[in-house]
Amino acid sequence: MINNTQSQHVLIIGGGVAGLALALFLKKAGISCSIYEAYAYKGAAGGGMNIAPNGMNVLAALGLADKLAARGAVTQEHCFRSENGKVLARIPYGNTRKYGQPGVSISRSALYEVLTSEINNAGIEVSYNKRLQFIEELPGGVTAYFEDGSSDSGHILIGADGIRSKTRSHVLPVGPTPSFTGIVGVGGFVKLEKVPELTSQDLSSLNFTFGAKGFFGYCAADTGYAMWWSNLEAAQPMSEAALRDTSMDKLQEEMLGIYRDFHVPVATLIKHTERPIRQNISDIPSLPTWHKGRVLLIGDAAHAVSPNSGQGASLALEDAMYLAKLLRDGQADYKKVFTQFEAGRKQRVEKIVAEGRRRGNDKKVLSPMQAKIRNFMMSVFLKLFGIKGIDWVYRYKIDWE
Ligand SMILES: Cc1cc2nc3c(=O)[nH]c(=O)nc-3n(C[C@H](O)[C@H](O)[C@H](O)COP(=O)(O)OP(=O)(O)OC[C@H]3O[C@@H](n4cnc5c(N)ncnc54)[C@H](O)[C@@H]3O)c2cc1C
């Protein structure tokens, strides 16, 4: 048994975006912590994502924004198109003058590399292959028990263990639990040299195409690569074996069946995909509380946001910084800190969750007539209101001082 006896030692369950960022901010705050991650280091794991300006501002506070921008692709605008390629609207996005940071598209593995290298430089302990089994709270502290029979104790425990959080079942033993949304997210990476059709404007945009048969998005990603993503409607979630399947043939056939007639370069992107990714997209209703006793949930464990919002990782980063600041200032009064954390974060997060659900509905399969009406409305509203509707999301900044 490992035992941390310091009065202010934080146990972090989950070495994803929220867990790694929290550990880095705790280090800045002078608070000791250990991270426990269920899997081995996931160097090449996962698909890609866009870190929005609000998330990039959190990374800037860690001194990591420039490193991330150098590994990924800076995005300047959102471009919305119909399936025949007609531009419905172009909306400025990464306005650094306005938000302080641009948006950056990057693979999950590169984001993890940047965060993990900083964790190693800071000398923070990460234990891999440590899957939380249960939690025990005693008057003086909290103990995490892992599936391999080991355990560790600390002052408080933070559940940063994602949408299928085990920590959540300690905080809320009777649920709610996540449910499948009827969407399988698919996507992949493509070498830029395979897609000469991509213009420099395409490469500095997040490109969203809306057709009757579905939605297709693409952008530049890590140096030399583009990435794409799409939604497939499905009655049942995919099995674990099907999700692990990295062969492209079946997915390519299915995707070309839907998107063959979409504008250039959609079919080319599908044809040249490396590392295809499939993910069951799940959702969880608003939780009645994010904490119990010495245990608090952050990131997707507290509020899984639809990938359609493009905000899940950015919100996880915000949570990490906000919590570390409260812990720094609130010292050992964890009860007060947990109450302040939930009060300070819930309203913002739930507004963004609701917006993500609404955007998911815009991407559903429609009749050709419904799709025409949807695209017309989109073009009118986007041209009228532009970025204004989402400005409050990107503008959010936490003052560390
Ligand atoms: C297809 C898709 C596309 C997305 N695109 C975007 C995007 O463009 N922009 C964006 O901002 N967000 C995006 N997201 C959302 C984003 O990925 C998540 O919101 C973000 O990763 C949440 O971070 P987290 O640290 O809370 O959880 P996670 O990143 O899920 O990390 C949780 C960690 O906990 C570990 N864990 C789980 N159970 C245990 C256990 N019992 N014991 C120990 N460890 C455990 C897991 O292995 C994992 O490493 C996307 C999500 C999906 C599915």
Side-chain angles (χ1 to χ4, degrees), residues 209-395:
T209 297
F210 293 83
K213 288 183 185 171
F215 156 82
F216 194 95
Y218 58 95
C219 64
D222 302 9
T223 314
Y225 278 89
M227 66 186 186
W228 62 266
W229 62 97
S230 183
N231 294 341
L232 293 178
E233 293 187 18
Q236 298 294 330
M238 280 184 140
S239 67
E240 282 301 315
L243 292 175
R244 277 197 303 271
D245 180 5
T246 53
S247 65
M248 192 54 207
D249 295 0
K250 247 171 58 194
L251 183 63
Q252 213 167 47
E253 198 184 310
E254 188 175 2
M255 293 297 293
L256 286 174
I258 303 171
Y259 297 109
R260 192 184 307 278
D261 298 328
F262 269 41
H263 64 84
V264 170
V266 172
T268 318
L269 285 162
I270 295 170
K271 281 180 193 154
H272 293 286
T273 303
E274 293 176 9
R275 294 190 273 150
I277 288 116
R278 303 162 170 86
Q279 266 176 309
N280 293 320
I281 306 298
S282 297
D283 201 356
I284 188 162
S286 164
L287 305 186
T289 180
W290 290 353
H291 58 95
K292 183 173 103 178
R294 292 175 178 271
V295 179
L296 170 77
L297 306 171
I298 65 168
D300 273 12
H303 47 71
V305 197
S306 154
N308 294 306
S309 73
Q311 277 290 322
S314 293
L315 291 179
L317 290 164
E318 288 179 8
D319 278 0
M321 183 171 180
Y322 191 70
L323 175 61
K325 184 179 171 181
L326 290 178
L327 285 169
R328 179 196 68 186
D329 299 344
Q331 297 303 322
D333 190 353
Y334 66 86
K335 284 185 191 157
K336 193 170 154 203
V337 165
F338 289 0
T339 306
Q340 279 177 338
F341 176 79
E342 188 171 329
R345 293 290 298 154
K346 209 164 188 182
Q347 204 188 4
R348 170 175 171 81
V349 161
E350 292 195 342
K351 210 169 152 190
I352 294 172
V353 170
E355 173 62 17
R357 285 206 187 104
R358 192 196 59 71
R359 284 200 210 175
N361 290 335
D362 284 347
K363 294 174 182 170
K364 287 199 166 143
V365 177
L366 301 170
S367 71
M369 183 48 81
Q370 286 171 319
K372 266 197 180 143
I373 295 169
R374 187 250 338 257
N375 287 3
F376 173 72
M377 300 300 282
M378 232 180 190
S379 120
V380 170
F381 279 100
L382 288 169
K383 278 176 190 152
L384 267 178
F385 299 112
I387 199 83
K388 284 193 203 103
I390 195 98
D391 205 37
W392 65 275
V393 176
Y394 299 152
R395 270 184 191 282

Side-chain angles (χ1 to χ4, degrees), residues 14 17-18 37-39 42 50 108 130 132 161 279 300 312-313:
V17 183
E37 165 55 43
Y39 292 96
K42 295 186 235 179
N50 184 268
R108 190 179 288 267
K130 290 271 175 204
L132 178 77
D161 46 351
Q279 266 176 309
D300 273 12

Side-chain angles (χ1 to χ4, degrees), residues 26-318:
L26 288 178
K27 179 84 184 181
K28 260 170 93 79
I31 299 171
S32 83
C33 68
S34 314
I35 306 175
Y36 297 92
E37 165 55 43
Y39 292 96
Y41 174 67
K42 295 186 235 179
M49 59 172 66
N50 184 268
I51 306 293
N54 49 312
M56 287 298 293
N57 273 318
V58 174
L59 291 168
L62 290 171
L64 298 177
D66 290 346
K67 282 186 191 164
L68 208 79
R71 292 289 305 268
V74 170
T75 35
Q76 310 284 1
E77 65 172 24
H78 288 179
C79 179
F80 298 85
R81 292 185 179 88
S82 64
E83 65 191 80
N84 61 14
K86 183 180 169 214
V87 174
L88 302 172
R90 288 187 186 275
I91 309 290
Y93 172 52
N95 187 334
T96 37
R97 234 177 333 120
K98 202 165 166 191
Y99 305 125
Q101 289 291 329
V104 169
S105 301
I106 192 159
S107 66
R108 190 179 288 267
S109 56
L111 171 63
Y112 278 15
E113 261 173 54
V114 170
L115 289 170
T116 305
S117 134
E118 199 65 14
I119 287 274
N120 294 338
N121 292 341
I124 298 165
E125 186 190 338
V126 189
S127 302
Y128 292 102
N129 296 309
K130 290 271 175 204
R131 182 174 288 276
L132 178 77
Q133 195 174 27
F134 67 98
I135 296 168
E136 187 178 34
E137 290 192 57
L138 296 166
V142 57
T143 302
Y145 292 87
F146 301 99
E147 284 186 357
D148 64 1
S150 63
S151 63
D152 193 8
S153 300
H155 170 63
I156 53 173
L157 182 149
I158 308 301
D161 46 351
I163 187 165
R164 309 220 160 265
S165 169
K166 188 77 183 173
T167 313
R168 192 171 51 229
S169 58
H170 173 86
V171 174
L172 293 162
V174 291
T177 50
S179 56
F180 179 55
T181 56
I183 299 288
V184 175
V186 292
F189 296 90
V190 185
K191 283 203 180 83
L192 283 182
E193 69 207 42
K194 303 282 186 191
V195 207
E197 302 95 319
L198 283 169
T199 64
S200 58
Q201 192 170 19
D202 290 338
L203 292 173
S204 60
S205 305
L206 284 176
N207 301 281
F208 305 99
T209 297
F210 293 83
K213 288 183 185 171
F215 156 82
F216 194 95
Y218 58 95
C219 64
D222 302 9
T223 314
Y225 278 89
M227 66 186 186
W228 62 266
W229 62 97
S230 183
N231 294 341
L232 293 178
E233 293 187 18
Q236 298 294 330
M238 280 184 140
S239 67
E240 282 301 315
L243 292 175
R244 277 197 303 271
D245 180 5
T246 53
S247 65
M248 192 54 207
D249 295 0
K250 247 171 58 194
L251 183 63
Q252 213 167 47
E253 198 184 310
E254 188 175 2
M255 293 297 293
L256 286 174
I258 303 171
Y259 297 109
R260 192 184 307 278
D261 298 328
F262 269 41
H263 64 84
V264 170
V266 172
T268 318
L269 285 162
I270 295 170
K271 281 180 193 154
H272 293 286
T273 303
E274 293 176 9
R275 294 190 273 150
I277 288 116
R278 303 162 170 86
Q279 266 176 309
N280 293 320
I281 306 298
S282 297
D283 201 356
I284 188 162
S286 164
L287 305 186
T289 180
W290 290 353
H291 58 95
K292 183 173 103 178
R294 292 175 178 271
V295 179
L296 170 77
L297 306 171
I298 65 168
D300 273 12
H303 47 71
V305 197
S306 154
N308 294 306
S309 73
Q311 277 290 322
S314 293
L315 291 179
L317 290 164
E318 288 179 8

